[in-house]
Amino acid sequence: MSLPVAFSEASSTSHPLAPYGWDDAWEAEFVAYATRGLLPGRVVRVDRGQCDVVTPGGMVRADTEFVVPRDPLKVVCTGDWVAVDPGGDPRYVRTLLPRRTAFVRSTSSKRSEGQILAANVDHAIIAVPLAVELDLGRIERFLALAWESGAQPLVVLTKADLVPDPTGLSYLVEDVGTTAPGVQVLAVSAATGEGVDVLSAVVSGSTSVLLGVSGAGKSTLANALLGEDVMEVRATREVDGKGRHTTTTRNLLVLPGGGVLIDTPGLRGVGLWDAGQGVGQVFAEIEELAEGCRFHDCAHGSEPGCAVLAALEDGSLPERRLESYRKLLRENQRIVAKTDARLRAEIRRDWRLKGAEGRAAMEAKRGRIR
């Protein structure tokens, strides 16, 4: 489905929910629920089976009891558009409107369930602090999830004032840019205001989610975008740049320049969840090289005529990029296999085939030695 990058101008002057992203497409989607007397609303916060929903009549507290499915990816989430009861005590969310996008990661549980962090997002802002050494692998992981969600990723290097040398800062931006093809990279300092106006212009008139690890400066950045101290800020440790979670829930906030921002708690784990296409987009140059391999199923290991290995050998492809690509592909395959029986069978068959090839090679080697 095509994604509107800005809110409808017609809706912006005619509907009380327009500041929260309501547009003509959502209006059309809601017609069936309006005939049942339900009210449209957007979820601005979820907490213990209840949620705060902004409706044409104002903010209401609603119970999510009627939309508690077995699928954890279909629970009510910040950013969702919903249909709620017009009155009553308690009020209930009766249904979710189909999501345009959804940012999902895998949980750390043994069941490997997906967890949805934000819905109906246009921009995924990945906050990366310059207070510590850049972790390019983690950035690539965030980018894979962002691309898979359907949103447009944007990498923001926070705390840019800690890198006073303009040349050094430009090199850091360039380094991140090489890991993020097709993604804008901005250096921003909430302390000095550097880059905040550019970021505000990029996200204006859309829904953005702010993502990153604890200590990335997300709450400080959110305050800078909001133009006031709405989110609590805590100090980070100087040793590793980490801090306690300032934000404990995902909150949807209206930006003064138009659009809304979803601030999220710091993420300790960023596991992939069925993000094969996202991984391919992050490593677009490797996928493009792979089209020139002699074999269509080339694993880029030791196959003859491998264009990826040739690029690695001539130095045009950094070894770190290829290793990161392989790592994320393996991780994503494991996650998908846990919920896909056919893929599990294919992986086992592949393991058996490789094992047989390895044993045959060893036997041939022993024969030559004798």
Side-chain angles (χ1 to χ4, degrees):
M1 181 181 293
S2 61
L3 180 70
V5 297
F7 299 157
S8 166
E9 185 175 343
S11 296
S12 66
T13 58
S14 60
H15 200 285
L17 289 178
Y20 291 87
W22 186 261
D23 58 26
D24 294 337
W26 289 121
E27 184 86 47
E29 194 74 54
F30 196 76
V31 169
Y33 305 109
T35 59
R36 292 162 50 188
L38 299 174
L39 290 176
R42 191 163 200 188
V43 178
V44 300
R45 185 172 178 270
V46 179
D47 181 28
R48 299 178 183 178
Q50 291 189 313
C51 59
D52 294 330
V53 183
V54 60
T55 71
M59 197 74 68
V60 301
R61 186 74 167 165
D63 200 305
T64 62
E65 177 183 336
F66 283 92
V67 280
V68 182
R70 294 181 180 178
D71 186 348
L73 298 183
K74 294 181 180 178
V75 299
V76 176
C77 176
T78 302
D80 271 324
W81 286 98
V82 298
V84 298
D85 288 328
D89 186 19
R91 285 187 168 179
Y92 292 98
V93 171
R94 293 293 175 175
T95 191
L96 297 178
L97 271 64
R99 291 164 176 156
R100 291 174 179 171
T101 63
F103 193 97
V104 180
R105 69 164 176 175
S106 67
T107 64
S108 57
S109 68
K110 293 182 179 179
R111 291 178 295 178
S112 296
E113 295 177 336
Q115 179 191 22
I116 180 166
L117 301 181
N120 301 310
V121 171
D122 303 312
H123 291 101
I125 305 172
I126 302 166
V128 180
L130 291 177
V132 293
E133 185 177 353
L134 289 175
D135 186 338
L136 299 178
R138 179 181 284 155
I139 294 173
E140 288 163 343
R141 181 179 292 272
F142 269 109
L143 286 170
L145 291 174
W147 280 123
E148 192 69 33
S149 76
Q152 171 66 46
L154 173 65
V155 178
V156 174
L157 303 181
T158 62
K159 308 181 183 182
D161 54 289
L162 298 180
V163 186
D165 177 23
T167 302
L169 182 59
S170 67
Y171 285 150
L172 290 171
V173 172
E174 184 178 342
D175 286 345
V176 175
T178 61
T179 71
V183 176
Q184 187 173 6
V185 181
L186 295 174
V188 174
S189 170
T192 65
E194 176 187 355
V196 174
D197 55 342
V198 177
L199 178 59
S200 296
V202 172
V203 302
S204 175
S206 62
T207 295
S208 302
V209 61
L210 192 51
L211 303 156
V213 298
S214 296
K218 296 187 303 300
S219 295
T220 303
L221 183 59
N223 287 336
L225 291 171
L226 292 164
E228 56 181 316
D229 292 340
V230 175
M231 307 306 297
E232 181 187 354
V233 177
R234 289 182 181 149
T236 58
R237 296 195 299 253
E238 292 184 4
V239 175
D240 54 13
K242 295 182 179 179
R244 295 172 60 198
H245 294 312
T246 300
T247 304
T248 56
T249 58
R250 292 179 282 277
N251 304 284
L252 186 145
L253 308 158
V254 177
L255 295 171
V260 295
L261 177 71
I262 300 175
D263 190 24
T264 65
L267 300 175
R268 289 193 178 91
V270 196
L272 299 185
W273 178 259
D274 196 6
Q277 290 185 356
V279 172
Q281 209 150 350
V282 175
F283 299 93
E285 81 279 24
I286 298 179
E287 300 261 306
E288 187 175 344
L289 283 169
E291 293 178 4
C293 292
R294 181 183 302 178
F295 305 107
H296 76 278
D297 59 347
C298 183
H300 320 309
S302 58
E303 296 87 345
C306 176
V308 173
L309 294 180
L312 189 67
E313 190 171 330
D314 67 24
S316 58
L317 175 65
E319 186 173 356
R320 190 207 66 79
R321 282 284 281 175
L322 181 57
E323 285 304 311
S324 183
Y325 175 64
R326 288 168 170 165
K327 178 181 179 181
L328 292 184
L329 280 182
R330 287 194 301 267
E331 177 183 329
N332 191 67
Q333 188 180 51
R334 286 196 301 269
I335 290 294
V336 175
K338 289 183 178 181
T339 57
D340 189 327
R342 191 174 78 171
L343 181 58
R344 284 199 300 273
E346 290 177 356
I347 292 174
R348 284 195 294 268
R349 188 162 55 247
D350 187 49
W351 284 345
R352 286 196 295 270
L353 179 60
K354 288 182 178 178
E357 290 174 347
R359 288 190 294 273
M362 286 298 296
E363 289 298 325
K365 185 175 180 181
R366 288 170 183 164
R368 288 195 297 271
I369 293 175
R370 290 177 189 149

